[in-house]
Amino acid sequence: MSESDEAVVETTEGAELPSDALVVAENVHKSFGRLEVLKGIDLEVRRGEVMCVVGPSGSGKSTFLRCINHLEKLTAGRLWFDGELMGFHQKRGRLHELRDKEIAAQRRDIGMVFQRFNLFPHLTALGNVVEAPIQVNRVPRAQAVERGMQLLERVGLPDKADVHPEQLSGGQQQRVAIARALAMEPNLMLFDEPTSALDPELVGDVLDVMRDLARGGMTMVVVTHEMGFAREVGDSLVFMDDGMVVESGPPAEVLNDPQHERTQAFLSKVLF
């Protein structure tokens, strides 16, 4: 990619990042053509923090999550992960997009779990978990398999190692997807509405795995409609609407005493 073909974003020099911040978003904008989806997001995610992001459909929650690992390119603003600009390098006050290989290297430290499980249908549960460590990180197969079995044990599915996704329930597939993300030993886990595609009776098992990750100190950003989970596990709660952060704070405070009328209206229609 030549410099003239690169995505270029105007920026400023000399930002100082908080030492305990793993993710810092500064005035993040994202547009798709004329549709402006993110309208200036400023957020910090501390190391070890569980941030839950809630809001109505179409508010930009999932788009912001995908911007964190550069699955979506910023239109304006800056986003840092672990002290480095995500997806860009800065030159003379402008941001130039990194090469695909450099972006992939940054993503290795970020695990993502999608609403739809996105498992490889031709691989077993264990095969899905070990694929990336072997192919991307060049981990010896025996070592990857040993680690993969440990992860399947962690998500409660050691007996499903040789089973293909089509033979698993939705909740089981999502737990395999979590194990697959953990196999790369990420510093950050992103969850994009991980339970919204599940039957209600299957939600609990997935949330239990996420609770275990939180107890273990994993930094997590969770887009969710599970308000009970946000209240119990979240360190912070962010309410987004129309591409903006409307309100944020400790979950109990935001849920029990929302200050903004838009937050009040949204929560009045949500059961938790």
Side-chain angles (χ1 to χ4, degrees), residues 17-18 38 92 101 109 134 146 160 169 182:
L17 305 181
L38 300 178
R92 292 192 294 273
K101 181 181 290 188
D109 291 326
I134 292 172
E146 180 180 4
K160 302 297 184 182
S169 71
L182 292 174

Side-chain angles (χ1 to χ4, degrees), residues 112-113 117 119 172-182:
M112 187 162 186
V113 178
F117 323 119
L119 298 178
Q172 291 170 334
Q173 290 186 61
Q174 194 62 293
R175 283 185 279 160
V176 172
I178 294 173
R180 179 179 63 179
L182 292 174

Side-chain angles (χ1 to χ4, degrees), residues 89-119:
H89 67 90
Q90 185 165 293
K91 184 177 180 180
R92 292 192 294 273
R94 293 159 71 88
L95 298 183
H96 301 265
E97 191 174 18
L98 297 174
R99 296 180 176 86
D100 289 345
K101 181 181 290 188
E102 295 170 311
I103 295 170
Q106 289 184 317
R107 286 195 188 121
R108 291 177 190 176
D109 291 326
I110 304 175
M112 187 162 186
V113 178
F114 300 87
Q115 179 179 347
R116 297 292 177 179
F117 323 119
N118 293 349
L119 298 178

Side-chain angles (χ1 to χ4, degrees), residues 239 241 245-247 257-267:
F239 173 69
D241 187 39
V245 173
V246 176
E247 189 166 347
D257 189 24
Q259 299 300 300
H260 196 282
E261 62 180 12
R262 184 65 189 92
T263 317
Q264 295 168 4
F266 174 77
L267 292 177

Side-chain angles (χ1 to χ4, degrees), residues 55-66:
S57 297
S59 60
K61 308 183 301 296
S62 294
T63 298
F64 175 66
L65 208 66
R66 292 170 64 87

Side-chain angles (χ1 to χ4, degrees), residues 196-216:
S196 62
L198 303 179
D199 293 333
E201 66 268 22
L202 303 177
V203 169
D205 290 337
V206 173
L207 293 181
D208 283 344
V209 172
M210 295 170 65
R211 289 186 184 95
D212 180 66
L213 290 177
R215 285 192 293 266

Side-chain angles (χ1 to χ4, degrees), residues 153-170:
E153 177 78 39
R154 184 172 184 179
V155 301
L157 296 172
D159 58 327
K160 302 297 184 182
D162 297 324
V163 176
H164 284 79
E166 65 180 11
Q167 299 170 286
L168 299 172
S169 71

Side-chain angles (χ1 to χ4, degrees), residues 36-63:
E36 190 176 19
V37 178
L38 300 178
K39 303 177 180 179
I41 302 295
D42 294 301
L43 280 178
E44 294 177 9
V45 184
R46 303 185 312 275
R47 298 176 191 277
E49 176 180 359
V50 178
M51 174 180 285
C52 295
V53 183
V54 303
S57 297
S59 60
K61 308 183 301 296
S62 294
T63 298

